[in-house]
Amino acid sequence: MNTASRPFDRGHTDDLMAFLAASPTPYHAVATVAARLEKAGFQQVAETDAWDGTSGGKFVTRGGAIIAWYVPEGASAHTPYRVVGAHTDSPNLRVKPQPDMAGNGWRQVAVEIYGGPLLNSWLDRDLGLAGRVSLRDGTERLVNVDRALLRVPQLAIHLDRSVSTDGLKLDKQRHMQPIWGLGGDVHEGDLMAFLEDENGLGRGDITGWDLMTYAIEAPSYLGRDKELVAGPRMDNLLSVHACTAALAEVSKQENLPYIPVLAAFDHEENGSQSDTGADGPLLGTVLERSVFARGGSYEDRARAFAGTICLSSDTGHAVHPNYGERHDPTHHPRANGGPILKVNVNNRYATDGSGRAVFAAACDKAGVPFQSFVSNNAMPCGTTIGPITAARHGIKTVDIGTAILSMHSVRELCGADDPYLLANALTAFLEG
């Protein structure tokens, strides 16, 4: 299909940029998704409550993860699921347990490297601070200092002439601690006191935190014809946004043959092994409880899982104009070429031939082109939640996504058409 002939829904990409800006952390992303689902008629249910088998849209949240599903009228206890999966986390710099530090007259914040960020992309950026704090009264609160608060300053070339010949070399411990003011002495509790003041809390109210830095520059269109989008956390909030839009759209329809599900996990960037990661039991527990709430037995659960298919949506690599030799010579995914089907015969991706057919059928139904991605044989292949989901729950899984440049940078780049095309393909898949 020639995408130039397709009317481009700029509104979808505008909405993606708003979603990225509203979601500086996994916790904020979950809150944003939940608000959108509630607007679409979904209701939040607590894991500690008894669930009923009524039809309609429901969701559960746990930290940086959210699972949402829509039970159509007349669904049986063994009705299979159609799952679209993604992850909410992105590589970044996260605040350590003892964050207050100083060096040579500068006040700094001690950070730990989360995931595998392109460290150079964090240099000389205006950084905000956001995340989740736990309070003395047992409650939690989202916080967001959305202004230029911190900065990781790069060393001037005059003090490191070798950078021009040997390249930039960064020590994760010594060179990545951001500054946020002047002062030669360490004042323990300074950062938390600042956050308490910013959020109208009393001194000593914050007793725990999961805080991270983020670049405050807003997403934007890029290019002569604005055919590209630059922005933060596309890996993988681009997919979370598309999955949310697809589920909300499908929930408006009647006579669905499957139960559509959104599964957005945390901690993909460091292995998914947590109670909110894809390697934890959250998705399986939710799907099982939905079966049992509809009066099902273990046999119904087995039948439902046997007929379930998951599309694991994550970003992949568009061919790089300056490093074409790093890509497979026969597979060059391009921006605005439609979603990518990700294949690796060593099961770093979960796609097989039958899974390819499922995705091809969804794209054909949606009138969306798609591309294939495989890694150069000489390059190690990354992985996703796809193989984990397949192995953990015995669910057929297909790895797909959107081709981008600058993956794991503070600011990534995708085609402006591709988010819309991905959402349409996911919608067609959930429809069955």
Side-chain angles (χ1 to χ4, degrees):
M1 175 183 169
N2 180 7
T3 58
S5 65
R6 183 186 183 92
F8 167 46
D9 185 351
R10 180 59 60 89
H12 179 90
T13 305
D14 289 343
D15 189 64
L16 167 63
M17 291 194 288
F19 182 87
L20 294 173
S23 307
T25 76
Y27 315 111
H28 289 81
V30 166
T32 306
V33 170
R36 289 171 175 236
L37 290 176
E38 287 179 336
K39 187 175 180 180
F42 284 67
Q43 294 182 335
Q44 183 170 4
V45 295
E47 292 186 80
T48 53
D49 291 344
W51 294 2
D52 60 48
T54 56
S55 60
K58 302 171 185 178
F59 66 91
V60 297
T61 65
R62 183 192 292 181
I66 182 168
I67 311 292
W69 65 104
Y70 180 80
V71 179
E73 291 284 351
S76 67
H78 59 265
T79 297
Y81 299 96
R82 285 251 167 152
V83 183
V84 288
H87 66 87
T88 60
D89 60 318
S90 300
N92 56 19
L93 311 178
R94 303 202 172 188
V95 175
K96 287 184 174 181
Q98 296 180 10
D100 303 297
M101 60 183 296
N104 297 302
W106 297 93
R107 294 167 65 193
Q108 294 178 278
V109 173
V111 297
E112 189 173 5
I113 310 300
Y114 177 83
L118 288 171
L119 294 179
N120 62 291
S121 72
W122 286 84
L123 301 178
D124 298 330
R125 297 274 187 176
D126 295 336
L127 304 177
L129 185 68
R132 175 182 67 178
V133 295
S134 299
L135 305 182
R136 188 174 300 279
D137 62 7
T139 62
E140 294 179 344
R141 180 181 296 194
L142 298 184
V143 296
N144 183 12
V145 183
D146 186 16
R147 63 177 175 85
L149 180 68
L150 306 109
R151 182 183 179 95
V152 182
Q154 187 168 193
L155 184 65
I157 193 171
H158 313 82
L159 303 178
D160 184 13
R161 296 288 184 181
S162 66
V163 71
S164 298
T165 54
D166 300 336
L168 180 65
K169 298 178 181 178
L170 295 171
D171 183 284
K172 292 181 179 181
Q173 178 61 39
R174 293 186 295 124
H175 300 151
M176 296 307 297
Q177 309 304 322
I179 61 173
W180 73 309
L182 297 172
D185 298 324
V186 176
H187 299 284
E188 188 174 347
D190 214 10
L191 181 62
M192 291 308 120
F194 165 76
L195 288 175
E196 287 162 350
D197 290 343
E198 285 279 307
N199 292 276
L201 299 171
R203 289 297 168 88
D205 279 353
I206 296 177
T207 56
W209 55 87
D210 300 283
L211 298 167
M212 54 206 76
T213 64
Y214 69 96
I216 62 172
E217 185 180 1
S220 65
Y221 288 101
L222 183 144
R224 185 193 65 181
D225 300 318
K226 297 183 178 180
E227 70 269 47
L228 302 169
V229 173
R233 300 177 295 283
M234 290 185 180
D235 178 16
N236 185 32
L237 293 187
L238 189 158
S239 293
V240 174
H241 175 263
C243 292
T244 304
L247 180 61
E249 179 62 29
V250 170
S251 70
K252 302 174 185 177
Q253 302 178 24
E254 298 179 354
N255 302 317
L256 292 171
Y258 302 97
I259 297 173
V261 179
L262 159 65
F265 300 102
D266 200 354
H267 301 131
E268 190 272 348
E269 297 294 354
N270 62 8
S272 296
Q273 292 185 321
S274 70
D275 68 320
T276 54
D279 203 19
L282 182 58
L283 175 61
T285 299
V286 169
L287 299 186
E288 286 180 346
R289 290 186 67 178
S290 179
V291 169
F292 299 149
R294 282 175 277 125
S297 63
Y298 183 82
E299 182 71 11
D300 291 313
R301 179 261 186 217
R303 293 174 66 186
F305 276 46
T308 293
I309 306 175
C310 172
L311 288 190
S312 162
S313 181
D314 203 346
T315 54
H317 304 295
V319 62
H320 197 296
N322 300 331
Y323 298 89
E325 74 281 0
R326 302 294 182 98
H327 299 264
D328 183 85
T330 60
H331 295 78
H332 279 185
R334 67 189 190 281
N336 288 336
I340 55 175
L341 180 75
K342 303 162 80 169
V343 178
N344 178 264
V345 295
N346 293 302
N347 287 333
R348 299 293 283 172
Y349 302 130
T351 307
D352 61 12
S354 62
R356 184 188 194 279
V358 170
F359 186 59
C363 289
D364 183 63
K365 178 180 179 181
V368 168
F370 74 92
Q371 312 172 82
S372 294
F373 170 83
V374 295
S375 291
N376 185 307
N377 286 336
M379 297 285 169
C381 179
T383 190
T384 70
I385 66 168
I388 295 171
T389 302
R392 174 86 189 180
H393 307 294
I395 292 173
K396 173 178 282 297
T397 304
V398 187
D399 273 299
I400 65 162
T402 298
I404 70 170
L405 292 180
S406 307
M407 185 183 295
H408 287 197
S409 171
V410 160
R411 201 163 177 83
E412 297 161 324
L413 188 73
C414 76
D417 290 354
D418 283 331
Y420 176 66
L421 297 174
L422 175 63
N424 283 352
L426 293 175
T427 300
F429 167 74
L430 290 178
E431 290 172 344

